[in-house]
Amino acid sequence: MILVTGGFGFIGSNLVNALCDIDKDVIICDYNKVLNKDYFSSFRKIKACIQPDKILDFIELNNVEIIYHLGAISSTTCDDGNLVWLNNIYYSSRIWQICIAKKIRIIYASSAATYGDGKQGFIDNNNLVQMSKLRPLNLYGWTKLQVDLRNIIMLNNSKVISSQWVGLKFFNVYGHNEFHKQNMQSVILKTYAQIRLNEETKLFKSYNKSY
């Protein structure tokens, strides 16, 4: 059984479609209010959908082989620190701990936002000193870095680990099923929509005041 958190979202729905295409038993954890069945090539193949507040009990009580943990508040402009902390750090840390206890493989979404402006480089080698030097430019990137750091501290101090763990640092991703993201849509999709309307292309404002 494979559990995909954030399975109704952009990356999650594409992953779920790929897993269903090769006949894997997939469970989605996400909010029903964000479900768009048009995002799925064969929604009936999905074995079950659970709400995020049930996820910890579900993992504890079921035989989950792999968790793809993609669920998070991904908006880089969200300024509700408590809400982002709860969703992006607390749940991620609890899922990590359960995966260690139950020897569940986990692949989770970190982010290129952890690198900040890039002055500290783009090297990831599980070196706590090196990783601690990173300075994200927004709250979202900070929460993703905190999860990475907590995982490394757990590994270094407790010498315990799940049977497999991978953190994926997504850069600018784009493709099918991102229409719901509104202002957080990729530059590619935004530009495409502007071109269709014969409008000027507008890019994100740079952190650098010179641009």
Side-chain angles (χ1 to χ4, degrees):
M1 179 192 300
I2 298 175
L3 174 63
V4 180
T5 73
F8 294 160
F10 164 40
I11 298 176
S13 61
N14 281 284
L15 173 61
V16 169
N17 285 334
L19 293 171
C20 288
D21 285 345
I22 56 175
D23 297 322
K24 296 295 185 180
D25 291 335
V26 180
I27 308 294
I28 290 178
C29 174
D30 212 330
Y31 295 101
N32 289 332
K33 63 183 180 181
V34 298
L35 170 61
N36 183 346
K37 290 187 178 180
D38 291 338
Y39 279 7
F40 298 93
S41 54
S42 185
F43 190 75
R44 60 179 177 78
K45 287 187 176 182
I46 299 167
K47 298 301 181 183
C49 300
I50 60 172
Q51 291 293 286
D53 62 345
K54 306 295 184 184
I55 185 174
L56 301 180
D57 289 339
F58 181 87
I59 300 171
E60 288 277 15
L61 299 174
N62 290 273
N63 184 25
V64 180
E65 178 186 0
I66 306 173
I67 296 176
Y68 290 91
H69 182 39
L70 308 177
I73 293 178
S74 59
S75 172
T76 57
T77 58
C78 181
D79 58 3
D80 187 335
N82 291 329
L83 184 63
V84 178
W85 182 89
L86 177 65
N87 282 271
N88 294 11
I89 298 179
Y90 173 76
Y91 278 119
S92 295
S93 297
R94 290 290 292 115
I95 290 171
W96 172 270
Q97 292 166 5
I98 297 173
C99 285
I100 289 175
K102 297 193 66 176
K103 300 296 182 182
I104 299 171
R105 297 163 60 190
I106 181 169
I107 300 172
Y108 72 94
S110 182
S111 173
T114 59
Y115 298 122
D117 60 10
K119 290 180 181 178
Q120 301 300 324
F122 300 90
I123 299 174
D124 292 295
N125 55 11
N126 296 343
N127 184 298
L128 188 60
V129 174
Q130 177 70 31
M131 293 284 283
S132 297
K133 292 179 180 179
L134 298 180
R135 294 293 180 267
L137 299 175
N138 51 50
L139 178 60
Y140 167 74
W142 179 83
T143 62
K144 289 297 185 179
L145 177 61
Q146 291 306 305
V147 173
D148 292 337
L149 292 174
R150 281 165 168 75
N151 293 345
I152 294 172
I153 290 171
M154 177 75 77
L155 175 63
N156 291 348
N157 292 350
S158 303
K159 304 301 180 183
V160 291
I161 192 171
S162 62
S163 57
Q164 178 193 32
W165 70 278
V166 178
L168 301 175
K169 293 204 172 182
F170 294 108
F171 281 74
N172 289 324
V173 292
Y174 66 94
H176 297 293
N177 302 352
E178 59 167 312
F179 294 101
H180 67 284
K181 293 174 68 68
Q182 299 178 338
N183 194 46
M184 289 293 109
Q185 291 176 353
S186 67
V187 174
I188 298 294
L189 181 57
K190 282 188 172 183
T191 302
Y192 170 75
Q194 290 158 355
I195 289 173
R196 290 194 65 187
L197 295 174
N198 199 29
E199 296 178 345
E200 292 182 349
T201 296
K202 297 179 181 179
L203 303 179
F204 294 104
K205 183 179 179 180
S206 173
Y207 69 91
N208 189 325
K209 294 182 180 180
S210 298
Y211 300 98

